[in-house]
Amino acid sequence: MQDTPSQKTVLLIGASRGLGLAMAEELLKRGYRVIATGRAASTERLQHLANACAGSLEVETVDITIPGQIAALRGRLEGRRVDVLFVNAGVKNDDRETLADVSTEEFVRVMVTNSLSPMRVIHAFQDLVPPTGTIGVMSSGQGSITNATNANYEVYRGSKAALNMFMRTFAARSASYPRSLLLMAPGWVQTDMGGPAARLTIEESIPNLVNTIEAYEGRAGFHYLDYLGRAVPW
Ligand SMILES: NC(=O)c1ccc[n+]([C@@H]2O[C@H](COP(=O)([O-])OP(=O)(O)OC[C@H]3O[C@@H](n4cnc5c(N)ncnc54)[C@H](OP(=O)(O)O)[C@@H]3O)[C@@H](O)[C@H]2O)c1
């Protein structure tokens, strides 16, 4: 598919449902070309959306924990310009599970999915992003060490705090590029992950979160922000 020079392209990783799917819908409404990914078995809602939006949405597949799938997607997108690269994909473990009782396998699953894999995606695709483009990840307010005043969700929290650290080291390594590096905290939102008791609806979070991404376009350096654009303490 050819990019129209005036139309900005967003590569959105992990958009099969929840916040990612809502981001894809919001970006399409705002006129972006969107390349949105699900895992092989989870693209049905994206395919449905693509059928309804006349060529502005391309549906791709990648499991971010499988390096061969990241490399294959990178190959399929060779030569494309990506103005905004955003990794939304993430998982959590059972809320009641603490570091004292989580299995090693489950701990590794959460850490590899939430901390290592988004950075692998960013390393693989960063050269498609122009020097003034945006690279973002879906972090969480739970990743703030400053705000960690209770012991809830500690495995998940550790994974997002590690992601924040890796974005900072990535920023240090690529300091010569004036890119905007965003770590977004969407708030506690009603999705499969957030659950029905969450404070915010998707409609209260995602349009504001996209406003914040747009407001930080061209603002070099790394920014840890909530969905309303307020700085989150590290
Ligand atoms: N909801 C909240 O309250 C909240 C708060 C703070 C931060 N977040 C963060 O926001 C992001 C989205 O959360 P959500 O609430 O929308 O969760 P969700 O409804 O559970 O959706 C998770 C998304 O991540 C994808 N994903 C999971 N593992 C993947 C993998 N290995 N490879 C590729 N995609 C994968 C899922 O794809 P499949 O459909 O294929 O499983 C799905 O699209 C996550 O990073 C989460 O940590 C959420």
Side-chain angles (χ1 to χ4, degrees):
M1 194 174 288
Q2 288 298 307
D3 295 327
T4 315
S6 60
Q7 192 180 26
K8 292 206 163 134
T9 298
V10 180
L11 174 55
L12 181 57
I13 304 291
S16 58
R17 57 195 165 94
L19 302 182
L21 182 64
M23 280 184 77
E25 288 167 339
E26 186 64 30
L27 290 161
L28 289 164
K29 266 193 233 159
R30 297 184 190 206
Y32 290 88
R33 172 176 296 283
V34 179
I35 307 167
T37 74
R39 286 189 275 191
S42 67
T43 57
E44 195 183 327
R45 293 166 78 178
L46 280 173
Q47 294 289 1
H48 190 70
L49 186 58
N51 293 340
C53 66
S56 289
L57 173 62
E58 291 168 63
V59 181
E60 272 290 355
T61 55
V62 65
D63 182 324
I64 64 169
T65 64
I66 303 176
Q69 290 196 13
I70 297 175
L73 177 61
R74 176 64 186 79
R76 293 196 293 278
L77 297 183
E78 180 61 33
R80 301 291 295 272
R81 187 196 75 235
V82 171
D83 300 285
V84 180
L85 166 61
F86 195 91
V87 186
N88 170 71
V91 292
K92 73 176 174 72
N93 59 314
D94 188 309
D95 290 346
R96 293 158 299 183
E97 217 166 37
T98 70
L99 273 178
D101 49 35
V102 68
S103 68
T104 303
E105 188 184 36
E106 180 65 347
F107 181 81
V108 168
R109 182 184 75 92
V110 175
M111 294 298 286
V112 167
T113 307
N114 290 357
S115 319
L116 175 61
S117 302
M119 299 314 301
R120 281 188 167 147
V121 170
I122 287 171
H123 281 282
F125 290 91
Q126 60 161 324
D127 64 331
L128 301 184
V129 182
T132 52
T134 298
I135 298 179
V137 291
M138 197 67 96
S139 180
S140 168
Q142 301 290 342
S144 166
I145 289 177
T146 305
N147 287 347
T149 53
N150 63 47
N152 299 338
Y153 321 120
E154 59 187 334
V155 175
Y156 176 76
R157 271 186 170 163
S159 72
K160 292 294 187 178
L163 175 63
N164 291 356
M165 173 60 81
F166 297 149
M167 281 296 279
R168 288 190 74 136
T169 53
F170 175 78
R173 187 177 295 117
S174 52
S176 54
Y177 291 98
R179 285 180 187 138
S180 179
L181 300 177
L182 302 180
L183 300 97
M184 297 304 306
W188 183 24
V189 193
Q190 294 159 19
T191 62
D192 294 340
M193 181 184 288
R199 194 171 61 82
L200 299 173
T201 61
I202 286 179
E203 294 70 31
E204 288 168 321
S205 171
I206 289 306
N208 283 307
L209 186 141
V210 174
N211 287 344
T212 301
I213 293 173
E214 288 185 325
Y216 274 77
E217 184 189 333
R219 290 172 71 169
F222 50 87
H223 313 277
Y224 183 20
L225 302 166
D226 76 2
Y227 66 109
L228 293 174
R230 298 172 298 200
V232 183
W234 295 90

